[in-house]
Amino acid sequence: SDGTVSLPSDPLSWGALAGRPLKGYAITSLGDSCGSSGAVPFFKPIDGGARPLNVVRNTSFGRAMDINTRGQLVGQIETLTKSNSYQEGAFLWEGIDANPVDLEKLIDKNSGWDLSYADHINSSGDIAGNGYRNGVPNGLGFIMILKR
C-alpha cells in the first residue's frame, strides 16, 4: 500500500439502520465493524449491510463498542427499570445472532462491582471496561478473563 486513504464522498454511504446513520466504534483486521445506530447496537460485516444486535427487555439505548476476529462483541446496554430510572450495564455478544450476556451476572454478587460498559475485547476473549466499585467510579476499570 502507498499509504493513501480514501473516504466515501458521502459519509452516509456507509449505511443506516431504520433511517438512522451508523456510528462506528471498532473494526477488526478482517474489516468487520460494530457501533450504534441511534439507540441500536449493530454489527456490519465488511461485505454486507449493518445488522442490529439482539438486546434485552426494556432497552432504551445500546452500543457495540468492540469486536474481535472471533465475532465476539462487547458494549453497553441501558435499560429502563420498574422505578423509571436507567440502569447501564456491560454486555457480551458471543456472535452476531446471540443474545447479550450481562457481564455482571458472571461475577461474584459480593464483589462490590457495578459494571457500566465493556469497551474492549481481544482475540482471546479477554474483556476490559469500566464501572463502579463499592459505589465509587473506578478509574482503572476492570479486566475480565472468561473461563475457557
Side-chain angles (χ1 to χ4, degrees):
S1 167
D2 64 3
T4 304
V5 176
S6 63
L7 298 173
S9 58
D10 175 8
L12 295 180
S13 68
W14 198 50
L17 275 177
R20 308 259 340 220
L22 304 177
K23 178 178 181 181
Y25 282 97
I27 189 167
T28 69
S29 59
L30 303 174
D32 298 331
S33 57
C34 66
S36 67
S37 175
V40 179
F42 75 83
F43 162 78
K44 183 181 182 306
I46 189 170
D47 59 353
R51 296 176 48 188
L53 295 171
N54 293 330
V55 293
V56 296
R57 175 185 253 179
N58 297 323
T59 293
S60 60
F61 174 81
R63 60 184 169 172
M65 299 174 77
D66 201 11
I67 181 172
N68 65 20
T69 55
R70 293 170 43 191
Q72 296 173 304
L73 302 102
V74 292
Q76 177 186 45
I77 293 179
E78 184 178 271
T79 56
L80 184 62
T81 66
K82 290 179 183 176
S83 62
N84 284 330
S85 61
Y86 293 99
Q87 176 69 41
E88 55 188 20
F91 284 83
L92 164 71
W93 290 267
E94 287 276 7
I96 59 172
D97 294 319
N99 288 324
V101 175
D102 184 345
L103 294 176
E104 203 163 305
K105 293 189 176 178
L106 302 180
I107 61 175
D108 184 344
K109 292 179 184 180
N110 298 316
S111 70
W113 275 101
D114 180 14
L115 307 180
S116 299
Y117 60 85
D119 56 358
H120 298 288
I121 185 164
N122 66 18
S123 58
S124 298
D126 303 326
I127 299 167
N130 217 318
Y132 293 81
R133 181 94 192 258
N134 298 318
V136 177
N138 190 298
L140 299 176
F142 68 87
I143 295 177
M144 180 178 283
I145 299 172
L146 300 178
K147 292 181 182 176
R148 293 173 180 69

